[in-house]
Amino acid sequence: MQTWFYRLSPIARAVITGAWVFAALLGVTQLAALGTSSAMFPTSVAARAVMAAIFGVVFGVIGVVLGDRRIRRVYGSAEQVITYSRALRTGQLPTNIEPAAWQRWLDVSRQSLRWTPITVTLFAALALLNSLDGQWALVALLATLAAWFIGYGLVLRRRILRLATAIDQRERAAS
């Protein structure tokens, strides 16, 4: 979680999310269209750009609406997400915490970590399937994403453990 992102207005977050979706989708469709047997995507670059723009707008808005709901449901507010994210990144707890709430937030982080093997397997399988067609640019992209998620999962697991240890130490010191 990037703390600067949650400080932005919902419209700005939707625009940024939409731009990322647009760029990713346009890039993937361009890579897929490079293949000679690409009947899946329109032959026009403009048509692919329009399609990517539509998906970017839709998923930007959906992402912000659902993301804000989840933030309010799980964390209570964007400020609490920012505080938790900073503590997760640095390992430094704020002075006043509610250990039960922070344990729930750690549980949410652990649950998201459970998706890492599925994500890595999906990207690796897609890379393998695309290697059969010889689409090496797409294979490199998918293999890079698989490696990224492996590294991210390992870092997140270490950070969760470090923060859980700090919360336990704080609880023991308070009692």
Side-chain angles (χ1 to χ4, degrees), residues 40-110:
M40 182 181 222
F41 300 108
T43 56
S44 165
V45 175
R48 284 192 295 273
V50 168
M51 180 183 69
I54 291 169
F55 276 94
V57 168
V58 169
F59 284 102
V61 171
I62 289 172
V64 169
V65 169
L66 294 179
D68 284 354
R69 283 184 183 173
R70 185 171 189 267
I71 285 171
R72 283 192 302 276
R73 186 183 74 243
V74 174
Y75 299 99
S77 71
E79 282 304 315
Q80 288 176 312
V81 170
I82 291 168
T83 302
Y84 173 71
S85 179
R86 186 177 302 121
L88 189 61
R89 189 177 60 252
T90 64
Q92 301 294 319
L93 287 173
T95 54
N96 300 328
I97 67 164
E98 294 179 35
W102 281 70
Q103 289 294 349
R104 283 193 316 272
W105 298 344
L106 283 173
D107 289 340
V108 169
S109 295
R110 287 184 190 105

Side-chain angles (χ1 to χ4, degrees), residues 9-174:
S9 71
I11 293 172
R13 290 195 317 262
V15 168
I16 291 171
T17 304
W20 277 109
V21 171
F22 169 78
L25 188 57
L26 184 62
V28 168
T29 57
Q30 286 294 101
L31 283 174
L34 290 176
T36 56
S37 63
S38 178
M40 182 181 222
F41 300 108
T43 56
S44 165
V45 175
R48 284 192 295 273
V50 168
M51 180 183 69
I54 291 169
F55 276 94
V57 168
V58 169
F59 284 102
V61 171
I62 289 172
V64 169
V65 169
L66 294 179
D68 284 354
R69 283 184 183 173
R70 185 171 189 267
I71 285 171
R72 283 192 302 276
R73 186 183 74 243
V74 174
Y75 299 99
S77 71
E79 282 304 315
Q80 288 176 312
V81 170
I82 291 168
T83 302
Y84 173 71
S85 179
R86 186 177 302 121
L88 189 61
R89 189 177 60 252
T90 64
Q92 301 294 319
L93 287 173
T95 54
N96 300 328
I97 67 164
E98 294 179 35
W102 281 70
Q103 289 294 349
R104 283 193 316 272
W105 298 344
L106 283 173
D107 289 340
V108 169
S109 295
R110 287 184 190 105
Q111 287 172 355
S112 70
L113 194 58
R114 291 183 190 143
W115 285 98
T116 301
I118 296 166
T119 306
V120 169
T121 302
L122 176 70
F123 282 131
L126 288 172
L128 180 65
L129 289 173
N130 281 291
S131 72
L132 299 176
D133 289 339
Q135 296 184 357
W136 300 112
L138 197 51
V139 169
L141 174 67
L142 292 167
T144 301
L145 287 170
W148 171 266
F149 277 99
I150 289 170
Y152 178 75
L154 293 172
V155 168
L156 185 59
R157 184 180 344 163
R158 188 183 75 236
R159 288 178 175 178
I160 290 170
L161 181 60
R162 181 177 61 188
L163 194 55
T165 303
I167 292 170
D168 288 342
Q169 289 173 347
R170 178 79 58 92
E171 281 183 303
R172 276 190 240 125

